Amino acid sequence: RAGLSQSNLMGMLACKQAYLEGAPWLDALLAYLQGNFNTLSAGMERINRRAGTPVIGFRQPEGTYLCWLDCSGLMRARGLDDDAALDRWMLNEAGIWLSTGPNFGRGGSGFMRLNAASPRTVLVEALRRLEQALF
């Protein structure tokens, strides 16, 4: 329905080459992503330790580069009563634009989605802004 069933010649050739010769690129990508996950994990641990209570839960995803951040502790700590308030706080106070959990289904309330497939400098800056906004 979205037109994804209709491939083109360039796409098919690129896919074939990726399968045939893409292993070194994939290995490098996976190593870089693991470094990003480690950076995010250490940053969230530092923030939660400094807060004295878990304000943002982080767990490395198992099969993607999209991370779900449990912001329910942050919502309680800042008196944010709904996901729209959480979204506004992240954008206006921390200067970070994330995707709110409810956009992805009913179970997403209190969560935000972060794309870890970003340059590490972007993630370090996001952690810095988050920490600055909190403290």
Side-chain angles (χ1 to χ4, degrees), residues 15-97:
C15 183
K16 178 181 175 184
Q17 286 307 113
Y19 278 111
L20 292 175
E21 299 177 23
W25 173 85
L26 180 59
D27 292 342
L29 172 67
L30 293 174
Y32 192 85
L33 284 173
Q34 187 58 56
N36 282 358
F37 293 138
N38 295 344
T39 297
L40 288 167
S41 181
M44 294 302 174
E45 284 178 26
R46 183 181 63 248
I47 287 169
N48 288 326
R49 192 170 44 252
R50 191 168 172 197
T53 186
V55 289
I56 300 179
F58 171 82
R59 190 174 73 201
Q60 180 176 328
E62 294 179 11
T64 182
Y65 51 83
L66 300 171
C67 304
W68 288 101
L69 305 178
D70 181 352
C71 297
S72 55
L74 173 64
M75 293 176 76
R76 284 188 300 277
R78 296 291 169 178
L80 305 172
D81 58 353
D82 62 23
D83 292 292
L86 173 62
D87 189 37
R88 284 190 304 274
W89 187 91
M90 281 289 190
L91 185 58
N92 297 329
E93 300 299 321
I96 303 169
W97 189 6

